Amino acid sequence: MRARLIESHEIAPEVRHFLFEAEGVARLDYRAGQFVSLSADCGGKAVTRAYSLASAPHADNRFELCLNRVEQGHISPKLFAMQPGDSIDMRPPLGMFVLRQPPREAVFIATGTGIAPFRAMLQADLTVESPAITLLFGVRYESHLMYRGEFTAMAETFPQFRFWPTLSRPELHWTGRAGHVQAHLDEALGGRRDVDIYLCGLKQMDDDVRAILKAQGFDRKQIFYEKYD
Ligand SMILES: Cc1cc2nc3c(=O)[nH]c(=O)nc-3n(C[C@H](O)[C@H](O)[C@H](O)COP(=O)(O)OP(=O)(O)OC[C@H]3O[C@@H](n4cnc5c(N)ncnc54)[C@H](O)[C@@H]3O)c2cc1C
């Protein structure tokens, strides 16, 4: 299968939002939270990388991704160089990082482009009847808060949804949360142990948060994670 780029635009420094279409299918079927695998030739070798689908399933063959460009990386710079109409090999969606059914109260914890599967889940699953969800989103600087307007609007529409951005390197004017996501975990949990935790981002955050939760007596079955590196 091939994915053809429709358009991409910058949403934060070194981060782009991509709109693709999957060629040869009328509809790309997947569950919010899953990923596609994209492959390209790198010096005569096929290199494949996974990318979380960043939107709820469309009614057609379109899908969205959110990517940061890894300096010296094999695939992400190639994706950043793609022009509308260019295409790349892809494998259909896969993955187990999806909302458990029936959904329970949850804390979503994302760093950087780890926000992508949560955007998909929230678009697909957040309704007036959803259980409470807190989205703890950690980035370095305010300009890196991708989709901030969308999450803010969701929090205004759905009172049970809390959007908590936190900056690890806040500028002087920032009056919101600061520090790593770990620093806000206890407050997000509010002493509760009967919530599900979903983590997505780089290994360091993932491992740190899981160690904290384990020390607090959380069951492994309540913790769902996707590691990007
Ligand atoms: C299930 C899954 C879903 C993913 N979804 C996304 C997504 O939605 N958006 C996204 O941007 N990435 C996502 N990734 C990461 C992605 O698959 C690639 O690892 C990333 O794009 C780097 O690939 P590359 O070929 O450009 O760099 P590589 O050639 O693999 O890496 C070059 C160097 O950069 C380091 N590195 C690798 N990844 C990162 C990173 N993300 N940040 C900083 N340094 C890194 C490596 O350790 C290596 O030393 C996902 C990974 C997995 C496993």
Side-chain angles (χ1 to χ4, degrees):
M1 185 184 269
R2 290 197 57 91
R4 181 172 301 278
L5 182 67
I6 297 174
E7 67 97 15
S8 79
H9 58 274
E10 187 175 273
I11 52 171
E14 297 288 298
V15 180
R16 293 184 83 79
H17 181 88
F18 292 79
L19 177 64
F20 282 97
E21 63 183 354
E23 290 184 337
V25 292
R27 181 161 193 272
L28 190 71
D29 259 326
Y30 63 90
R31 286 183 65 192
Q34 290 191 306
F35 62 86
V36 288
S37 299
L38 302 180
S39 308
D41 181 89
C42 299
K45 248 179 69 182
V47 176
T48 302
R49 297 284 182 263
Y51 293 101
S52 301
L53 290 146
S55 62
H58 287 233
D60 58 15
N61 62 349
R62 293 177 180 212
F63 64 93
E64 299 169 37
L65 302 180
C66 167
L67 247 98
N68 77 297
R69 197 172 75 88
V70 171
E71 195 74 32
Q72 316 282 333
H74 286 90
I75 298 293
S76 58
K78 285 197 192 307
L79 290 164
F80 268 60
M82 283 177 77
Q83 298 299 314
D86 291 350
S87 66
I88 185 165
D89 278 332
M90 81 173 263
R91 276 190 237 136
L94 279 178
M96 307 293 286
F97 189 66
V98 295
L99 261 196
R100 155 178 171 165
Q101 294 301 329
R104 301 201 310 164
E105 288 195 25
V107 176
F108 291 173
I109 305 174
T111 48
T113 53
I115 197 66
F118 294 126
R119 180 175 184 259
M121 290 177 191
L122 290 165
Q123 283 184 357
D125 296 301
L126 184 62
T127 68
V128 283
E129 275 144 33
S130 306
I133 296 174
T134 301
L135 171 62
L136 195 44
F137 181 21
V139 294
R140 284 187 180 167
Y141 306 107
E142 189 176 5
S143 59
H144 293 220
L145 286 171
M146 292 90 79
Y147 312 116
R148 180 186 186 178
E150 294 179 21
F151 297 130
T152 303
M154 283 178 187
E156 283 164 6
T157 309
F158 302 102
Q160 81 278 33
F161 173 62
R162 302 188 296 185
F163 173 46
W164 288 6
T166 181
L167 306 185
S168 61
R169 304 201 186 156
E171 294 87 351
L172 280 177
H173 66 267
W174 176 255
T175 55
R177 289 169 191 277
H180 290 121
V181 287
Q182 292 87 320
H184 306 282
L185 188 56
D186 278 345
E187 192 186 343
L189 294 170
R192 301 270 303 273
R193 293 291 175 272
D194 57 344
V195 294
D196 288 338
I197 316 286
Y198 294 78
L199 304 167
C200 188
L202 296 179
K203 184 174 180 294
Q204 189 64 58
M205 178 283 283
D206 228 271
D207 291 349
D208 288 355
V209 173
R210 282 193 300 136
I212 295 170
L213 294 171
K214 200 173 158 208
Q216 293 189 358
F218 271 82
D219 190 322
R220 270 191 309 140
K221 294 194 188 106
Q222 288 170 261
I223 307 170
F224 305 86
Y225 59 94
E226 190 85 283
K227 287 185 194 178
Y228 276 6
D229 61 340

